[in-house]
Amino acid sequence: MKKLAAGMMITLVFGLTACGSSSDTASSKPADQAQSTSAGSSSLSSSTTTTGGGDAKAIMAKSSCESCHGQNLQGGAGPNLQKVGSKLSEEQIVKQIKNGSGSMPGGLIKDDKDIQTVAKYLSQQK
């Protein structure tokens, strides 16, 4: 039981550290690698949302969102976001990105246009 508790604490601490950091490796990954290639993740939109703020998946990779939510939004240290649009509106997602909640820190994405781009994309995940 002590080993399980210690393992969970290490995972939590590592997950929070990874969520708050920005990595050059993540930002140098092409956006097309961030898209799902497996048939099992068909709930993800095959196209990304692009607005004045740029490509949603590239923004998410640059902001280290994948370190907690997974490359295919399947979850991990953070919740699964593959169907988040059926639970939260675009406005609620914007608020979550800006302010954070629980173990998610706010302000990982700084630019308002980028926040809108990511929120719009995630709100379409149903």
Side-chain angles (χ1 to χ4, degrees):
M1 188 68 167
K2 287 183 181 180
K3 287 182 182 180
L4 178 62
M8 290 174 65
M9 278 301 263
I10 290 170
T11 301
L12 178 63
V13 170
F14 177 73
L16 289 177
T17 303
C19 235
S21 67
S22 180
S23 164
D24 289 337
T25 305
S27 64
S28 64
K29 183 177 10 171
D32 62 342
Q33 284 183 347
Q35 290 185 355
S36 170
T37 56
S38 68
S41 56
S42 60
S43 65
L44 290 177
S45 172
S46 62
S47 64
T48 57
T49 301
T50 303
T51 64
D55 176 65
K57 287 190 177 190
I59 294 165
M60 290 168 47
K62 178 181 168 190
S63 302
S64 300
C65 300
E66 294 173 348
S67 65
C68 293
H69 297 289
Q71 185 175 8
N72 296 314
L73 306 179
Q74 77 276 7
N80 181 318
L81 299 178
Q82 292 176 334
K83 296 183 180 182
V84 70
S86 64
K87 298 173 189 163
L88 300 175
S89 69
E90 185 175 335
E91 183 178 300
Q92 290 171 313
I93 295 170
V94 166
K95 184 177 176 182
Q96 179 74 22
I97 293 169
K98 285 185 175 185
N99 302 326
S101 173
S103 63
M104 180 177 164
L108 293 177
I109 302 174
K110 308 274 188 246
D111 184 77
D112 283 338
K113 288 181 183 177
D114 288 349
I115 292 171
Q116 285 299 138
T117 298
V118 171
K120 181 173 184 160
Y121 170 71
L122 290 175
S123 71
Q124 295 169 353
Q125 303 309 304
K126 297 181 181 188

